[in-house]
Amino acid sequence: MASPEDFPPLGCQLLHQPGPHRAHRTPHAPHWPWLRMWLCPHRPGSVVVNASLVFGGRAPGPSPCDVLWALYRKVKTSGQMLGNLSLAENSLISDGADLITLAQETISIRFTAMRPFLPQLLVPGSVSFVLLERQILQQVTPVVSGFYKASPQERPLLLFSNAEQWVGVYIEYKFQTPIPTHLQGLANHMAQNITDPILQKSSIVANGEKAELVLYEVWLQILGQPYTKALEDKTSPEFCALQGQLTRWVKWRDKVGGSGKRPQEDGG
């Protein structure tokens, strides 16, 4: 058993991390929670922390899964760290709720965003991170809500990574109640309903299921478009602009049934 004089430094570090109530900014925890903790040796170089959080206020406190979700998001976004404490992700438990319990209320999505990767995207809260986060969530969240006929909780877990010069995107959404784990087809639903060319549809994986796409290779010559050296770089603004233009054209052709007529030519 760890000695009592070992408790205060670790206890203070845990207590001064942003708590679950602060992450959610809900009215049921208007003050810092009171923390009571026990420490016991686990293996050389690590300890197990058993902490009790007591929330004030008259409203019901957060559920065990909500507390676990807040801690889980914090650990994931900081690279398995809580402040300067290194944590084992799979050890997180909140009042009996573990990551298996949490998985019943969460879904995961992976895909590649066709934007040049920047090192700043690894820093949550940076300008680059916030701008791309807003663009992606505006596209993805409504589609996810429509598929499950329920709105996920605010503040999903979102991480960016370097995917061969493009941006790898990982999202986890949490719902208020367990979702049907047997419900398949989210990846296909996203591929069919998200029109932003930033999302590489062939890369979509939702809940371990990959989008089923029929791929065609098309060659065409664009008249009046001068070729520049920058078009050889898939991360250049010139390449991204032309790619977006061609993608929107393909989507428009599909929408009008390949007639080649613009909507006003059909009297629309």
Side-chain angles (χ1 to χ4, degrees), residues 112-117 161-168 234-235 240:
T112 299
M114 306 303 289
R115 286 290 184 271
F117 175 79
S161 61
N162 188 345
E164 298 181 354
Q165 295 186 320
W166 301 117
V167 180
K234 294 182 179 181
T235 65
C240 293

Side-chain angles (χ1 to χ4, degrees), residues 122-194:
L122 298 177
V123 183
S126 67
V127 174
S128 298
F129 186 101
V130 171
L131 291 176
L132 187 56
E133 175 188 41
R134 183 181 304 148
Q135 180 180 2
I136 287 176
L137 293 183
Q138 285 176 346
Q139 293 287 327
V140 176
T141 303
V143 175
V144 170
S145 299
F147 182 78
Y148 286 104
K149 302 298 187 293
S151 296
Q153 293 180 201
E154 295 182 359
R155 297 175 59 84
L157 169 65
L158 188 146
L159 301 172
F160 295 130
S161 61
N162 188 345
E164 298 181 354
Q165 295 186 320
W166 301 117
V167 180
V169 181
Y170 178 77
I171 308 175
E172 284 190 43
Y173 286 100
K174 182 186 180 302
F175 292 80
Q176 196 62 47
T177 56
I179 56 176
T181 55
H182 64 279
L183 189 60
Q184 300 294 307
L186 175 59
N188 288 338
H189 184 74
M190 290 177 59
Q192 294 168 7
N193 290 277
I194 296 179

Side-chain angles (χ1 to χ4, degrees), residues 81-259:
M81 300 291 291
L82 188 64
N84 62 349
L85 299 174
S86 177
L87 301 184
E89 176 187 317
N90 60 3
S91 70
L92 295 174
I93 298 177
S94 172
D95 200 20
D98 56 16
L99 295 186
I100 296 177
T101 309
L102 184 62
Q104 299 174 10
E105 300 182 2
T106 59
I107 63 168
S108 64
I109 299 170
R110 296 179 183 272
F111 58 86
T112 299
M114 306 303 289
R115 286 290 184 271
F117 175 79
L118 300 172
Q120 296 91 323
L121 292 173
L122 298 177
V123 183
S126 67
V127 174
S128 298
F129 186 101
V130 171
L131 291 176
L132 187 56
E133 175 188 41
R134 183 181 304 148
Q135 180 180 2
I136 287 176
L137 293 183
Q138 285 176 346
Q139 293 287 327
V140 176
T141 303
V143 175
V144 170
S145 299
F147 182 78
Y148 286 104
K149 302 298 187 293
S151 296
Q153 293 180 201
E154 295 182 359
R155 297 175 59 84
L157 169 65
L158 188 146
L159 301 172
F160 295 130
S161 61
N162 188 345
E164 298 181 354
Q165 295 186 320
W166 301 117
V167 180
V169 181
Y170 178 77
I171 308 175
E172 284 190 43
Y173 286 100
K174 182 186 180 302
F175 292 80
Q176 196 62 47
T177 56
I179 56 176
T181 55
H182 64 279
L183 189 60
Q184 300 294 307
L186 175 59
N188 288 338
H189 184 74
M190 290 177 59
Q192 294 168 7
N193 290 277
I194 296 179
T195 59
D196 193 332
I198 188 179
L199 191 149
Q200 186 184 59
K201 297 190 176 185
S202 61
S203 68
I204 299 175
V205 177
N207 300 324
E209 180 186 27
K210 191 172 179 62
E212 298 176 358
L213 303 174
V214 179
L215 302 179
Y216 296 90
E217 184 175 295
V218 179
W219 291 84
L220 66 158
Q221 182 178 2
I222 305 174
L223 302 177
Q225 173 70 44
Y227 177 81
T228 63
K229 193 71 173 176
L231 291 174
E232 297 180 3
D233 180 4
K234 294 182 179 181
T235 65
S236 69
E238 291 86 350
F239 182 93
C240 293
L242 182 57
Q243 180 190 50
Q245 185 179 357
L246 290 173
T247 303
R248 286 189 292 271
W249 178 80
V250 171
K251 291 294 296 183
W252 171 75
R253 292 278 298 183
D254 179 65
K255 184 176 181 180
V256 300
S259 65

